[in-house]
Amino acid sequence: MTNDSQMNIRPICPDDADAVAELVAQLGYERTPEQVLRWVYDLGSRPEQACFVAELKGEVVAWIDVSLEHHLQSDVFGLIGGLVVKDGVRGAGIGRRLCEQAEDWSRRQGAKKIRVTSRSTREAAHRFYLRDGYRQTKVSMVFEKPLES
């Protein structure tokens, strides 16, 4: 467990782009630092979305992205869109603290629940969420279609 005095959780900022891009790769996706930087700048125009980073000794070691979802069929809810903790510091409570931050942010926005999706192969992530009080409520398939310009 990490000592809370060693950890700082704060909103993402443009200076985090390089570190966050590296963490995105650890999550299994590809985003260049320039793409992350554009996303961070655009975040200011999306008040129903937030992103927080965790620092240890001044180094960004994790991030979480959360949004407020409004759908006809359900009450508004928070949605964790992504969470990654750097290899080597996992299991120290950083992910839990970031989830608490996302939960608090969602609650302040009026959400009564928070949801997260996780790829079926990420069994360690599933165990993490179950330990953290999340419950599996359904199994879904994801379909996507490229949109032509």
Side-chain angles (χ1 to χ4, degrees), residues 122-142:
R122 295 181 195 238
E123 294 176 9
H126 305 164
R127 289 189 300 273
F128 164 79
Y129 290 117
L130 290 169
R131 278 192 314 268
D132 202 33
Y134 290 76
R135 289 187 298 277
Q136 182 178 347
T137 58
K138 66 180 172 178
V139 176
S140 297
M141 306 256 321
V142 176

Side-chain angles (χ1 to χ4, degrees), residues 2-8 55-57 97:
T2 299
N3 181 335
D4 279 356
S5 67
Q6 297 175 335
M7 187 184 342
N8 180 39
E55 295 176 311
L56 283 180
K57 300 176 185 168
R97 286 277 315 280

Side-chain angles (χ1 to χ4, degrees), residues 48 66-71 74-79 105 111 115:
E48 294 188 339
V66 61
S67 60
L68 211 55
E69 298 294 314
H70 297 268
H71 297 281
S74 64
D75 290 334
V76 66
F77 61 93
L79 177 66
W105 180 87
R115 182 177 292 169

Side-chain angles (χ1 to χ4, degrees), residues 95-114:
R96 175 169 287 119
R97 286 277 315 280
L98 283 169
C99 283
E100 289 170 356
Q101 184 74 31
E103 293 160 13
D104 289 344
W105 180 87
S106 297
R107 194 176 297 108
R108 288 191 309 272
Q109 308 308 309
K112 302 273 192 263
K113 66 181 170 185
I114 191 162

Side-chain angles (χ1 to χ4, degrees):
M1 203 60 147
T2 299
N3 181 335
D4 279 356
S5 67
Q6 297 175 335
M7 187 184 342
N8 180 39
I9 294 182
R10 60 170 175 76
I12 194 171
C13 73
D15 290 343
D16 300 326
D18 288 336
V20 168
E22 288 180 27
L23 291 167
V24 168
Q26 287 189 21
L27 193 58
Y29 298 92
E30 291 182 32
R31 298 295 278 172
T32 65
E34 293 77 19
Q35 290 171 313
V36 171
L37 185 61
R38 272 195 306 276
W39 187 92
V40 171
Y41 281 126
D42 289 345
L43 186 61
S45 66
R46 295 188 308 269
E48 294 188 339
Q49 187 172 20
C51 186
F52 302 96
V53 297
E55 295 176 311
L56 283 180
K57 300 176 185 168
E59 176 191 3
V60 172
V61 297
W63 60 261
I64 193 166
D65 146 23
V66 61
S67 60
L68 211 55
E69 298 294 314
H70 297 268
H71 297 281
L72 178 64
Q73 71 276 12
S74 64
D75 290 334
V76 66
F77 61 93
L79 177 66
I80 295 172
L83 167 64
V84 64
V85 177
K86 185 177 182 176
D87 285 335
V89 295
R90 293 182 184 146
I94 297 167
R96 175 169 287 119
R97 286 277 315 280
L98 283 169
C99 283
E100 289 170 356
Q101 184 74 31
E103 293 160 13
D104 289 344
W105 180 87
S106 297
R107 194 176 297 108
R108 288 191 309 272
Q109 308 308 309
K112 302 273 192 263
K113 66 181 170 185
I114 191 162
R115 182 177 292 169
V116 62
T117 60
S118 180
R119 187 173 294 158
S120 61
T121 57
R122 295 181 195 238
E123 294 176 9
H126 305 164
R127 289 189 300 273
F128 164 79
Y129 290 117
L130 290 169
R131 278 192 314 268
D132 202 33
Y134 290 76
R135 289 187 298 277
Q136 182 178 347
T137 58
K138 66 180 172 178
V139 176
S140 297
M141 306 256 321
V142 176
F143 302 89
E144 67 181 21
K145 178 181 180 180
L147 299 176
E148 297 178 23
S149 300

